[in-house]
Amino acid sequence: MLKKFTVSNYKNFKDEISLDFSKIGEYSFNADSLSMRLIYGRNATGKTNFGRALIDLKTLLYGMFRNDENSVLINANSQEDTAKFIYEFQFGSDEVIYKYSRFENRNLCDEELYMNGEAIFKCDFKNSKFDFQGLSIISAETVNTKRYLNKDEMDNEYVLPFLRWLINNTVFSDDSVLIQLFEYVRKMGIITVSNNRIHLSMFSYRKFFEDLKNPVHLQSFEDFLNLMGIECKLVLQELPDGQAELYFSQNKLVPFYSTASSGTLALTSLYQKIVSNPSLIYIDDFAAFYHYEMAEKLISFFKTKYPKCQFIMTSHNTNLMTNKIMRPDCLFILSSKGTLTALCDETERELREGHNLEKMYISGEFEKYE
């Protein structure tokens, strides 16, 4: 699991900003919220950017496509020429730290991997300096690093991350820490309000329908919508061209995607992301389309169905700022200055279960951290 993430000189975050899952308070209630973080912040504080920075690791290791909206990388007021990313993981008793930095064109400047405090490798692409002395620690001392350093591999137009190359060119056991790391990163995801419809219509649309051809999967999706308060009966039918179409079943069949509300479509997009058992999901502007009771139901659903998944959600919905479903060390404020602080660290009061956190927030208790 992810223990801590730190980024600096990225978009509006000039200084280091971190989210630390291992830093928790001494609260006895809602222990099932410890895998969740709910982030509040005024408009334009960088909540979306923070999510994109966090998911950058998946982009790096899996070569995901980046669209034009992510074209600006380096902080505009900085004199430094790279954005820096640090990921700290815990897999069983092993601690893994992966660091790298990118130039404005997104090419790698450097890359480092540590396991339990020992350096596995260090790559300084800018100065062409490489240290692979620690590969024996992960039983990869026989890997042919000269092949990686070959000019054919080291394309001037694109620097291939050594970690990505190492995984793809080495046989590791299934319980290897690196295999666990790669599998975790593969299952990371991000959901933003602006792209809910895009994901449905362009990326996951057909695959989702293929999955729903299984009656068990279709029933699970229907049960999910009903649990969220959307009473419906779903039917999947195969069209003459072999494609499938989803319908609401009423007195007659009603096409699902052309008639469903924006809230239902947002739930559908969310369901598509979480049904595959993700490792971490960043949900930007969570509850933007949901009534506060539905938003509470979703959080309870996450806790019950996906206890091993880490959820990071941003929101403006202060109804969720409550100890009824969360706790002060899981609720954060992202400031316009680029700081991310837990509510329990934003006041001199000792926050207890009975405190009305929403009322304190609205009254200005935490205003100096916004």
Side-chain angles (χ1 to χ4, degrees), residues 230-283:
I230 301 172
E231 297 182 8
C232 63
K233 176 68 177 176
L234 300 178
V235 173
L236 190 74
Q237 285 196 346
E238 189 168 331
L239 302 178
D241 62 359
Q243 301 292 339
E245 189 65 64
L246 185 64
Y247 297 91
F248 290 113
S249 178
Q250 300 175 356
N251 292 333
K252 60 180 180 179
L253 297 182
V254 179
F256 181 86
Y257 282 101
S258 60
T259 59
S261 68
S262 57
T264 302
L265 291 177
L267 279 174
T268 302
S269 179
L270 176 60
Y271 182 82
Q272 288 178 249
K273 285 283 189 179
I274 64 177
V275 73
S276 58
N277 291 310
S279 58
L280 178 147
I281 289 288
Y282 191 96
I283 310 176

